Amino acid sequence: MYSVVGIFGKIILGAINDKFGIVASIIYGCGLIILTNVASLVANLTPVAYILAIIFGLGNAIRTVIPPLLASTFFSNKDFGKAYGVMSGALQLGMTTGSLMVAYIFDLTGAYTTAWIVLLILSIVTMSTWLVAYFKGKQYKATI
């Protein structure tokens, strides 16, 4: 279900970026992922699981939409490939590590609750660091 919703999530995120800018896109996308982690804490209720799939499908677009937008904001066509490659690699490392961490926490505790809380915190950290990167990057680019 979330894969189908994800198609529309990318379109919506792109439209938000076009209309309101990358800051709004970051807040919107990360906000949905934060809500996903909160909903995961009570997803044992079937209706919440459906809502969770929709929220995650919409928010999951950030992993493919935001990095190239951030890279293109600060880097020329000449340097875009390298910058995007580094950003994409870091994001992929985080997603891989996160999946392993969730599985490990479940094996350790027998439940996902702790994992959802950790992912909630990491989602807030992600949103914060992307916003800081954007604003610091603008300052840096202005001095070049």
Side-chain angles (χ1 to χ4, degrees):
M1 180 177 175
Y2 84 86
S3 292
V4 172
V5 173
I7 295 167
F8 299 102
K10 290 180 183 191
I11 294 167
I12 293 168
L13 187 57
I16 288 170
N17 186 73
D18 291 346
K19 186 165 185 162
F20 302 106
I22 195 161
V23 171
S25 301
I26 292 170
I27 292 169
Y28 167 79
C30 289
L32 288 172
I33 296 300
I34 290 166
L35 284 175
T36 298
N37 293 311
V38 170
S40 295
L41 292 168
V42 293
N44 56 337
L45 306 170
T46 302
V48 176
Y50 288 115
I51 293 168
L52 177 119
I54 293 168
I55 295 170
F56 181 70
L58 292 172
N60 198 32
I62 64 170
R63 68 187 176 107
T64 55
V65 175
I66 298 295
L69 292 174
L70 276 174
S72 67
T73 299
F74 305 114
F75 296 95
S76 66
N77 289 342
K78 178 183 157 213
D79 296 324
F80 174 82
K82 282 191 278 185
Y84 177 64
V86 169
M87 292 174 76
S88 182
L91 189 61
Q92 189 64 41
L93 180 64
M95 290 187 303
T96 302
T97 306
S99 299
L100 294 172
M101 180 196 66
V102 168
Y104 178 74
I105 289 172
F106 180 81
D107 288 345
L108 206 60
T109 64
Y112 288 107
T113 304
T114 303
W116 301 144
I117 293 168
V118 170
L119 290 175
L120 172 65
I121 293 165
L122 291 174
S123 297
I124 293 168
V125 168
T126 297
M127 181 172 66
S128 301
T129 55
W130 279 354
L131 290 171
V132 167
Y134 173 74
F135 288 113
K136 289 289 186 184
K138 278 182 70 169
Q139 290 174 351
Y140 174 74
K141 188 174 183 178
T143 63
I144 296 177

